[in-house]
Amino acid sequence: MAPSLVLAGARVVLPTAVVDDGRVVVEGTRITAAGPADAVSAPAGAEVIDVSGHWLVPGFVDIHNHGGGGASFSGTAEEILTAVRTHRRHGTTTLVASTVTDEMDLLVRQAGLLSELAEQGDIAGIHFEGPFISPCRKGAHSEELLRDPDPAEVRKLIDAGRGRARMVTLATELPGGIDSVRLLAEHGVIAAVGHTDATYEQTVAAVDAGATVATHLFNAMPPLGHRAPGPIAALLEDERVTVELINDGTHLHPAALELAFRHAGAGRVAFITDAMDAAGIGDGRYMLGPLEVEVSEGVARLVHGGSIAGSTLTLDRAFKRAVTVDGLPVPDAVTALSANPARLLGMSDRIGSLEPGKDADLVLLDADFDLKGVLRQGEWVVAPRLP
């Protein structure tokens, strides 16, 4: 067995405090101790790495991600793993693979492949974004493939996921929407309100039926209005709802992000990437499902129509922007990037915080919040890059 690993001297973000001179002890795949240096001793024979001047935070958890590294989660097993590895190198140690609108038979087939990779532990499950969304707010989804959320068809996707379906985004105002929300809740699958043209009242009804997530709040839904507040107000005000935010500087104005945090609080925000193939690669032409995308200066848009088509974001960049541009306290950023999405996935007993008994998923950041190391289940994905 490999010797114990001790990361010493960093500012360690624990669930209840930030420890300035902290230690995290890893044995095998698990954290065995985390706390102040004077309270955590190094086991005999342990490998001790001095990471003074750095931050140690939990591995990031992304519940909405379509791909990266030039590959998508709509592709082959090897393409899926390419995307997973790309995001791991940017600190995302747990990832839910998101699909895009396509023919039902193709989605069912892809769900089978993704469920196999989830069973192997490569991904944490499947998120179906579409085809049950509004043509009025379709974004980068193919309109001719959209359909109403018939509970029988929603059930078909759940079954295809073989217990690995984690979330379904749907426009709950469409025929069958509320019944589909109830179906998802009964099967332990997150019902997410998104790509929706719902009114405030319709959104309230969806949450009462069991919807618990707002898919990329503000994007692909009616804007907040003073006479017709729409879904944004309903989703922000309800304590049962966690709101996704894409913090890339393109999808949201900083004031919108501040509004979400002010009204939902850090405990109800989950930062996501909504990444597509270009994440971790760069500008160029890509495919998002059946649609062609042009990425220019890091912004992805449909070639035909110009709609924003996902993002090229990675969660290390979302973290840095949160604390250096948006001015969020580091613990709040950690909550939004790790603890909250872990809770939504029902995995808080294993991931989302630096505590004894949990998976040894850690991200090492320097004083400027640039990524310098990634540990996943006790193995270095990115070995520490230290001065």
Side-chain angles (χ1 to χ4, degrees):
M1 181 181 291
S4 302
L5 172 66
V6 179
L7 299 172
R11 301 189 74 184
V12 180
V13 182
L14 302 176
T16 57
V18 176
V19 177
D20 285 335
D21 181 15
R23 278 185 179 174
V24 175
V25 181
V26 173
E27 295 186 22
T29 63
R30 300 296 175 113
I31 297 169
T32 56
D38 58 6
V40 176
S41 58
E47 177 189 4
V48 179
I49 301 178
D50 184 356
V51 289
S52 298
H54 291 69
W55 291 83
L56 272 178
V57 300
F60 306 141
V61 182
D62 195 353
I63 61 171
H64 187 157
N65 186 317
H66 297 281
S72 82
F73 294 124
S74 298
T76 65
E78 188 51 45
E79 288 170 335
I80 292 165
L81 292 174
T82 293
V84 168
R85 294 184 192 112
T86 297
H87 285 282
R88 283 184 187 167
R89 290 193 294 270
H90 290 275
T92 298
T93 51
T94 301
L95 182 149
V96 174
S98 302
T99 63
V100 294
T101 295
D102 214 324
E103 299 282 0
M104 280 296 292
D105 288 347
L106 293 177
L107 288 173
V108 166
R109 189 183 316 153
Q110 195 64 17
L113 174 58
L114 290 168
S115 68
E116 291 176 11
L117 294 172
E119 288 161 8
Q120 295 170 193
D122 296 305
I123 59 175
I126 310 164
H127 164 218
F128 297 101
E129 188 180 27
F132 311 117
I133 61 176
S134 172
C136 302
R137 305 287 175 178
K138 66 183 184 297
H141 291 257
S142 179
E143 184 167 355
E144 59 267 26
L145 297 175
L146 301 182
R147 57 184 68 207
D148 291 338
D150 179 349
E153 293 202 317
V154 174
R155 177 64 186 268
K156 185 185 296 186
L157 290 185
I158 296 173
D159 291 345
R162 302 202 305 250
R164 303 293 177 166
R166 294 288 196 174
M167 182 163 67
V168 177
T169 291
L170 62 168
T172 54
E173 75 278 8
L174 296 176
I178 295 296
D179 287 340
S180 292
V181 169
R182 294 193 182 103
L183 173 73
L184 291 166
E186 288 169 3
H187 286 80
V189 179
I190 296 167
V193 178
H195 287 276
T196 177
D197 204 40
T199 64
Y200 173 88
E201 292 76 15
Q202 289 170 327
T203 307
V204 168
V207 175
D208 286 341
T212 57
V213 166
T215 293
H216 43 54
L217 187 74
F218 299 107
N219 298 114
M221 59 182 62
L224 187 65
H226 64 292
R227 292 193 181 95
I232 294 172
L235 295 165
L236 278 178
E237 72 183 11
D238 200 302
E239 294 294 324
R240 295 170 291 182
V241 177
T242 299
V243 299
E244 295 181 348
L245 298 177
I246 308 171
N247 192 27
D248 61 353
T250 297
H251 281 79
L252 295 176
H253 189 283
L257 184 137
E258 182 182 4
L259 177 71
F261 268 89
R262 184 180 300 274
H263 287 273
R268 291 204 294 119
V269 172
F271 281 137
I272 61 164
T273 60
D274 194 19
M276 45 79 72
D277 301 27
I281 293 291
D283 292 353
R285 288 275 179 116
Y286 300 87
M287 297 300 295
L288 184 61
L291 302 178
E292 191 172 13
V293 175
E294 176 79 29
V295 178
S296 177
E297 297 182 353
V299 178
R301 294 186 179 275
L302 291 181
V303 171
H304 302 291
S307 292
I308 293 178
S311 84
T312 61
L313 187 63
T314 52
L315 283 182
D316 57 332
R317 287 169 45 211
F319 188 105
K320 179 170 181 172
R321 180 178 177 86
V323 296
T324 63
V325 176
D326 303 312
L328 290 181
V330 171
D332 286 358
V334 167
T335 298
L337 281 152
S338 302
N340 289 342
R343 169 181 52 79
L344 285 170
L345 295 176
M347 298 177 69
S348 293
D349 60 328
R350 286 184 44 206
I351 62 172
S353 60
L354 302 182
E355 295 179 88
K358 295 196 177 182
D359 288 357
D361 294 350
L362 312 166
V363 176
L364 181 68
L365 304 166
D366 66 14
D368 296 321
F369 300 100
D370 290 318
L371 186 144
K372 295 297 178 182
V374 180
L375 191 73
R376 182 177 186 272
Q377 296 184 2
E379 295 187 3
W380 291 109
V381 176
V382 177
R385 298 192 292 265
L386 302 171

